[in-house]
Amino acid sequence: MRVLKSLLATAALATGLAGAAVAEDKTKVGFIYVGPVGDGGWTYEHDKGRQAVEAAFGDKVETVYVESVSESNAEGPITQMALSGADLIFTTSFGFMDATLAVAEKFPNVKFEHATGYKQSDNVSVYSARFYEGRAVQGHIAGKMTKSNIIGYIASFPIPEVIRGINSAYIHAKKVNPDVQFKIIWAYTWFDPAKEADAAKALIEQGADVILQHTDSTAPQAAAKEAGNVVTFGQASDMGEYAPFPRVSSIIDDWAPYYVARTKAVMDGTWESVSTWDGIGAGMVGIGEITDAVPADVKAEAEALRDALASGEYHAFTGPLNKQDGTPWLADGETASDYGDDGLAGMSFYVEGIEAEIPSN
């Protein structure tokens, strides 16, 4: 009996150790979100990417997340996630940049990935999408569909990513409608449904019959639906519950392939610090279904523009283009560079024709 008990105890110990080994073999992947996972936009799509990691690797990974993290107070949650044993942490908002760098310095064995930022280190990568390509398609549709010639734009923060989007949308709206005007409201938030709804209503009161947004909730869609005869576009996610009208198309962020690839790189030991900036062609930016509320010829033109951007045949910022003050920026046929003094990565100016001013941060 004692021998049997000893054998059982040994077997139990072996099973326990094996279980611990399996747990230790799991790669722990963390996500820091600026909004709630149910925002229907930006954070919703990042969380779909997290779920894709789970689906791809099953019990080889453990994923965790913290939602609605303030950009001004992100260091604590990122630190806690690193302390909890995360091997890889994705911080998914521009304002998390400095906090990510600070925590990464304290945890050199943890890998960090920062969305939409530009500061790297040995254990910090950066990644973003060329959202401005999607804005070009939206601008084309907007310029064709507006009857008042006033297009409203709800902007979040005056950073290059947002300014690029405004410029791209304006350029392509103006190409097809020389009379178009942009009215811009800065909400100073990524996600605040009440503020976003108020901004949409204010723009509609100013005559806008098309609303574009670089904020994350569906509140502008709801405001447009209530007003009637106002066109909108889904932001970051399809927001298809408002299709076929007012939402007539969307920009969809697809982070899943990137998240799966970077998790695999940590798992197989090939991860290194990189800078990734992909667009429609790579599939990181998708154009949601253009509904039948858009005239057939406009839909065909928008799809052709999407395809040209995807193939690289056309660049969203192609000259001749001047800066807002009339000084030359791009010569005829010249395309914008990503980096440099007047490159897209640091864009801090409007193009000629936009009458608004860029506020200071």
Side-chain angles (χ1 to χ4, degrees):
M1 184 62 72
R2 289 179 181 175
V3 173
L4 178 57
K5 286 182 177 178
S6 177
L7 288 171
L8 290 172
T10 302
L13 178 61
T15 302
L17 290 173
V22 170
E24 288 174 3
D25 284 345
K26 279 192 176 185
T27 299
K28 188 170 184 178
V29 185
F31 296 80
I32 302 290
Y33 297 144
V34 73
V37 295
D39 69 357
W42 176 262
T43 294
Y44 172 75
E45 288 297 331
H46 282 284
D47 199 58
K48 282 174 64 177
R50 178 189 65 81
Q51 295 171 43
V53 170
E54 290 186 341
F57 301 111
D59 60 8
K60 293 180 180 178
V61 298
E62 174 191 357
T63 71
V64 294
Y65 67 86
V66 182
E67 59 187 330
S68 300
V69 174
S70 167
E71 289 185 322
S72 62
N73 193 31
E75 192 167 333
I78 301 171
T79 299
Q80 188 58 48
M81 191 167 281
L83 286 170
S84 74
D87 302 291
L88 172 65
I89 299 174
F90 293 94
T91 60
T92 63
S93 190
F94 179 82
F96 295 155
M97 181 166 60
D98 289 337
T100 301
L101 267 291
V103 178
E105 188 174 358
K106 299 172 187 174
F107 294 89
N109 294 325
V110 179
K111 311 302 183 189
F112 295 83
E113 299 267 350
H114 177 238
T116 72
Y118 56 86
K119 294 181 181 179
Q120 289 178 250
S121 70
D122 289 345
N123 62 328
V124 179
S125 282
V126 293
Y127 63 101
S128 189
R130 296 182 184 271
F131 309 115
Y132 65 83
E133 293 184 344
R135 301 289 178 204
V137 178
Q138 290 184 348
H140 182 98
I141 297 171
K144 285 281 191 172
M145 292 194 72
T146 180
K147 294 179 173 60
S148 68
N149 293 327
I150 298 173
I151 294 172
Y153 204 112
I154 305 171
S156 48
F157 295 94
I159 60 175
E161 172 193 331
V162 180
I163 295 167
R164 283 194 301 269
I166 294 169
N167 282 333
S168 181
Y170 177 80
I171 289 165
H172 292 86
K174 192 78 170 177
K175 277 187 176 182
V176 298
N177 182 350
D179 296 324
V180 79
Q181 301 176 46
F182 267 35
K183 293 187 180 294
I184 302 162
I185 289 180
W186 293 93
Y188 284 94
T189 183
W190 294 112
F191 177 81
D192 187 324
K195 282 186 178 181
E196 294 173 66
D198 287 345
K201 291 172 184 177
L203 289 166
I204 292 167
E205 288 174 359
Q206 294 175 51
D209 61 356
V210 180
I211 302 291
L212 290 89
Q213 67 184 90
H214 202 138
T215 52
D216 299 341
S217 87
T218 58
Q221 317 289 325
K225 184 175 181 180
E226 183 180 352
N229 298 317
V230 177
V231 174
T232 64
F233 297 85
Q235 156 64 15
S237 190
D238 198 38
M239 300 185 177
E241 64 267 35
Y242 288 95
F245 193 89
R247 170 249 175 250
V248 299
S249 187
S250 57
I251 295 175
I252 303 173
D253 307 339
D254 187 1
W255 305 110
Y258 184 82
Y259 286 169
V260 169
R262 299 304 282 166
T263 299
K264 184 176 185 300
V266 168
M267 295 170 74
D268 62 24
T270 61
W271 189 98
E272 59 182 20
S273 179
V274 297
S275 176
T276 300
W277 197 7
D278 287 335
I280 295 175
M284 195 174 270
V285 175
I287 303 299
E289 177 195 9
I290 301 171
T291 72
D292 289 341
V294 178
D297 60 331
V298 177
K299 180 176 179 178
E301 292 166 2
E303 289 175 338
L305 176 58
R306 173 201 65 196
D307 294 345
L309 288 160
S311 68
E313 176 187 349
Y314 173 71
H315 192 291
F317 290 98
T318 300
L321 288 171
N322 294 335
K323 295 183 180 181
Q324 187 181 41
D325 63 4
T327 59
W329 176 36
L330 298 174
D332 190 11
E334 183 184 6
T335 58
S337 60
D338 285 347
Y339 303 103
D341 291 343
D342 286 336
L344 297 178
M347 180 171 275
S348 60
F349 59 87
Y350 284 143
V351 294
E352 189 173 39
I354 296 178
E355 296 177 0
E357 294 184 3
I358 298 174
S360 57
N361 281 311

